[in-house]
């Protein structure tokens, strides 16, 4: 909006004026979001936390100019630090204010005065009412130096861009999704989470529950994790916020938040809502034609291919293995394509360090979909490619589920889970090990598949995905290319 752009330009000009008084090598200041101590000076127990505002407020501070609504007699409570700040505004007036400051991750760390903005100094302390005696002094004016016009132009340009982005993000009434390479600021995520109205529960699993929510009239999905699943929540949030993670065939992440303390902690993950539900739900109710089958399979392959692929460069993305692929963890979009969800068990690999980043979660994958090397525990946990190939086995089973529901010659099979006729409804490790590894069996296929060109090709594809030897399995890139050729030959628009 024009007004927003004006504010952006105004902000850039103010920053330009302040930069003229700032010495080289000093960071842009954001001390009002800090705690004011060096890392070694933190109070015991103040490790990095995810939602520190929910910790008990055990410190009393004097406040003046920064008093919260619940302050009593110029005294506020915090779980972070007390601070006092002296600053000079653009008119040359000097103000001394004080108050409470939360400790909230790396965004809320108070700077030491040598690195603070030239005409502002902040001092922090961590005993009751200690900031009443703090008397920070303004540092001397730094020489302006010969600042390059190109630097100033760059500074203005970047500020206008950032301010405009912020304005667009917080437009009322519309939930802006993060871009492909960036995500909403944690405070914006927290604001969205607090404003969501829970409508009804739409799913439940080992990790917790899924609710339909509304944010300013727009539907969103809210995944509420059980307290014991904090590691899964943390890993899934971390994976979703990986640079370049966003893809049309991976569930769209919006925000994450954590509420409560002690035994009653609620962990929220807010994503796009897809009313068709999971692939499991969809296939139980819907039969497919060839076009719908290929759309589902190809789009799922595209999502998994994006996960598995490492993107190199400064704005790169690590390779990621899912480790819990199944039809219940794939959602169906309105256009009939798939998006992959539930990344709480995902494993990351960065070729620069050659390290496999395994989540802390004690959760394991779904037994029915476990690859032979997972069941017999022969998988090399230090070799990332092993996780990738285990995903490919699971993907083959999912393609089998899809193919059963494709109608040819007026014939179609009922929906069933893989190995439905070989193991109990809730199979044990021993059940799956016996069928998959000892007997070497794979899901039953229908004779009709061999009489249809498309289904015959799908059978070949899934068979090469679920091969016993991981090294013999297709990669997801090869699967994607094969399906792309089938889509092209059928003249299907994806």
């Amino acid at each position: 909006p024009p007004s927003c752009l004006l504010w952006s330009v105004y902000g850039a000009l103010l920053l330009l004026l302040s930069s003229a008084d700032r010495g080289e090598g000093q960071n842009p200041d954001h001390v009002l979001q800090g705690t004011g101590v060096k890392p070694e000076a933190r109070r015991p127990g103040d490790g990095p936390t995810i939602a520190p505002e929910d910790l008990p407020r055990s410190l009393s501070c004097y406040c003046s100019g920064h008093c919260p609504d619940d302050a009593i007699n110029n005294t506020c409570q915090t779980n972070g630090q007390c601070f006092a700040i002296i600053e000079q505004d653009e008119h040359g007036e000097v103000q001394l204010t004080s108050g409470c400051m939360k400790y909230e991750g790396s965004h809320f760390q108070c700077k030491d005065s040598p690195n603070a903005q030239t005409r502002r100094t902040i001092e922090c302390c961590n005993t009751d009412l200690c900031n009443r005696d703090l008397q920070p002094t303004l540092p001397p004016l730094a020489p302006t130096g010969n600042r390059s016009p190109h630097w100033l132009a760059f500074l203005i340009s970047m500020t206008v861009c950032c301010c405009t982005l912020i304005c667009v993000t917080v437009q009322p009434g519309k939930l802006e999704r993060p871009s492909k390479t960036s995500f909403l600021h944690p405070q914006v995520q927290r604001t969205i989470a607090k404003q969501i109205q829970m409508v009804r529960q739409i799913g439940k699993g080992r990790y917790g529950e899924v609710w339909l929510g509304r944010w300013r009239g727009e539907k969103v999905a809210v995944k509420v994790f059980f307290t014991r699943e904090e590691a899964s929540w943390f890993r899934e949030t971390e994976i979703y916020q990986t640079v370049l993670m966003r893809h049309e065939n991976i569930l769209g992440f919006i925000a994450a938040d954590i509420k409560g303390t002690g035994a009653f902690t609620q962990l929220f993950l807010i994503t796009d809502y897809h009313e068709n539900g999971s692939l499991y739900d969809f296939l139980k109710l819907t039969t497919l034609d060839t076009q719908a089958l290929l759309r589902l399979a190809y789009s799922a392959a595209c999502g998994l291919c994006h996960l598995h692929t490492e993107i190199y460069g400064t704005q790169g993305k690590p390779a990621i293995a899912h480790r819990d692929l199944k039809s219940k963890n794939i959602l169906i979009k309105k256009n009939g394509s798939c998006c992959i969800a539930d990344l709480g068990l995902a494993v990351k690999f960065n070729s620069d360090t050659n390290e496999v980043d395994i989540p802390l979660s004690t959760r394991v994958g779904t037994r029915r979909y476990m690859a032979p090397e997972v069941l017999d525990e022969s998988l090399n946990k230090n070799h990332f490619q092993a996780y990738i190939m285990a995903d490919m086995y699971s993907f083959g089973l999912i393609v089998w589920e899809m193919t059963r529901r494709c109608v040819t010659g007026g014939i179609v099979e009922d929906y069933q889970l893989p190995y439905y006729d070989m193991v109990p409804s809730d199979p044990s490790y021993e059940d799956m090990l016996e069928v998959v590894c000892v007997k070497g069996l794979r899901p039953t296929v229908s004779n009709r598949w061999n009489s249809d060109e498309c289904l015959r090709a799908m059978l070949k594809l899934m068979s090469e995905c679920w091969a016993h030897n991981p090294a013999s399995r297709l990669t997801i890139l090869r699967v994607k290319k094969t399906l792309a050729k089938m889509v092209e030959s059928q003249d299907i628009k994806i």
Side-chain angles (χ1 to χ4, degrees):
S3 60
C4 193
L5 189 57
L6 285 173
W7 277 111
S8 301
V9 176
Y10 178 65
L13 290 173
L14 285 180
L15 185 55
L16 174 60
L17 288 171
S18 66
S19 70
D21 289 333
R22 190 179 301 159
E24 287 291 349
Q26 292 186 328
N27 298 323
D29 187 76
H30 52 271
V31 292
L32 287 181
Q33 296 178 332
T35 53
V37 290
K38 295 180 181 178
E40 62 267 23
R42 288 179 189 160
R43 289 179 291 138
D46 268 356
T49 55
I50 297 171
E53 76 275 11
D54 292 330
L55 295 175
R57 298 182 180 185
S58 58
L59 183 66
S60 298
C61 305
Y62 173 73
C63 63
S64 173
H66 287 289
C67 286
D69 294 339
D70 58 356
I72 301 174
N73 296 327
N74 291 99
T75 302
C76 54
Q77 303 289 322
T78 183
N79 53 17
Q81 305 285 330
C82 302
F83 75 91
I85 183 169
I86 188 169
E87 55 190 328
Q88 185 178 44
D89 63 20
E90 63 268 30
H91 303 298
E93 295 181 5
V94 176
Q95 285 186 318
L96 176 64
T97 55
S98 55
C100 290
M101 194 172 289
K102 296 178 182 178
Y103 173 67
E104 188 165 354
S106 59
H107 296 286
F108 292 81
Q109 297 209 23
C110 198
K111 295 182 181 178
D112 296 312
S113 55
N115 293 325
Q117 187 174 329
T118 308
R119 300 303 290 163
R120 173 148 63 184
T121 300
I122 186 167
E123 292 183 8
C124 300
C125 54
N126 54 20
T127 57
D128 285 340
L129 302 176
C130 57
N131 60 335
R132 184 190 292 271
D133 301 320
L134 293 179
Q135 293 294 328
T137 57
L138 286 173
L141 279 169
T144 56
N146 297 320
R147 192 173 291 278
S148 163
H150 298 290
W151 164 250
L152 295 179
F154 172 77
L155 190 63
I156 292 177
S157 301
M158 290 302 295
T159 306
V160 170
C161 289
C162 291
C163 293
T164 303
L165 179 62
I166 291 170
C167 291
V168 170
T169 302
V170 298
Q171 284 185 66
K174 185 176 183 182
L175 179 55
E176 289 292 336
R177 266 61 176 177
S179 71
K180 190 171 184 178
T181 57
S182 64
F183 292 88
L184 300 177
H185 186 280
Q187 197 58 47
V188 178
Q189 291 186 32
R190 184 158 293 120
T191 299
I192 291 173
K194 291 184 187 302
Q195 294 175 350
I196 284 176
Q197 172 193 358
M198 304 290 256
V199 179
R200 69 175 186 275
Q201 184 178 321
I202 54 177
K204 191 170 185 177
R206 295 174 296 172
Y207 56 84
E209 303 168 346
V210 179
W211 286 68
L212 169 64
R214 284 190 180 275
W215 189 81
R216 298 187 179 179
E218 186 168 349
K219 291 179 180 178
V220 294
V222 183
K223 191 172 179 180
V224 184
F225 290 75
F226 295 132
T227 305
R228 65 175 183 269
E229 294 292 338
E230 183 171 357
S232 295
W233 172 85
F234 185 86
R235 171 47 60 116
E236 191 159 8
T237 300
E238 178 188 32
I239 295 286
Y240 273 126
Q241 296 193 89
T242 300
V243 173
L244 291 177
M245 182 64 188
R246 292 189 72 81
H247 186 275
E248 63 181 339
N249 300 121
I250 293 174
L251 179 61
F253 169 83
I254 297 172
D257 193 19
I258 182 169
K259 297 178 183 177
T261 56
F264 188 70
T265 302
Q266 289 186 301
L267 307 137
F268 295 94
L269 187 74
I270 301 154
T271 66
D272 293 341
Y273 171 71
H274 298 292
E275 60 187 24
N276 287 326
S278 69
L279 177 63
Y280 170 80
D281 299 322
F282 185 75
L283 292 177
K284 282 200 298 184
L285 299 174
T286 313
T287 57
L288 311 172
D289 56 19
T290 299
Q291 180 172 335
L293 170 63
L294 289 176
R295 181 181 289 110
L296 286 176
Y298 178 70
S299 58
C302 287
L304 188 58
C305 189
H306 185 70
L307 266 186
H308 282 187
T309 303
E310 180 174 5
I311 300 173
Y312 299 94
T314 53
Q315 285 289 304
K317 164 196 162 295
I320 298 169
H322 190 286
R323 292 178 71 218
D324 195 19
L325 273 179
K326 57 182 178 180
S327 53
K328 290 182 179 180
N329 286 343
I330 295 176
L331 301 179
I332 305 300
K333 301 168 76 171
K334 279 185 178 179
N335 63 3
S337 65
C338 294
C339 62
I340 294 173
D342 195 346
L343 301 173
L345 285 178
V347 170
K348 296 192 294 184
F349 177 75
N350 192 316
S351 60
D352 291 340
T353 59
N354 205 37
E355 290 181 355
V356 179
D357 180 2
I358 303 173
L360 297 173
S361 173
T362 54
R363 259 182 65 195
V364 293
T366 305
R367 291 186 287 272
R368 187 181 295 273
Y369 291 83
M370 284 180 177
E373 63 273 20
V374 178
L375 290 167
D376 66 15
E377 300 182 341
S378 63
L379 181 142
N380 183 348
K381 295 181 179 179
N382 296 316
H383 189 205
F384 180 72
Q385 192 64 19
Y387 295 105
I388 292 289
M389 288 297 107
D391 273 357
M392 294 312 302
Y393 170 88
S394 305
F395 186 81
L397 299 184
I398 293 167
V399 174
W400 176 86
E401 292 176 73
M402 296 176 182
T403 305
R404 278 179 61 89
R405 301 296 284 153
C406 183
V407 181
T408 58
I411 304 171
V412 68
E413 287 83 47
D414 292 339
Y415 174 78
Q416 295 289 351
L417 287 167
Y419 302 108
Y420 72 98
D421 52 350
M422 304 178 200
V423 297
S425 58
D426 184 20
S428 65
Y429 279 104
E430 291 72 23
D431 293 329
M432 295 308 304
L433 186 68
E434 175 72 15
V435 169
V436 175
C437 300
V438 177
K439 294 182 179 178
L441 298 176
R442 293 297 180 268
T444 308
V445 299
S446 169
N447 289 331
R448 74 179 177 98
W449 293 11
N450 286 308
S451 59
D452 181 86
E453 181 185 0
C454 178
L455 299 196
R456 191 164 57 245
M458 295 298 277
L459 175 58
K460 182 174 185 294
L461 190 76
M462 68 183 79
S463 300
E464 291 178 331
C465 287
W466 65 38
H468 185 85
N469 181 2
S472 302
R473 294 174 199 154
L474 298 177
T475 65
I476 193 60
L477 182 59
R478 170 50 53 198
V479 170
K480 179 182 171 183
K481 288 180 177 179
T482 300
L483 289 169
K485 286 183 180 178
M486 293 175 66
V487 166
E488 186 178 357
S489 67
Q490 297 274 345
D491 195 27
I492 297 171
K493 292 182 180 179
I494 299 294

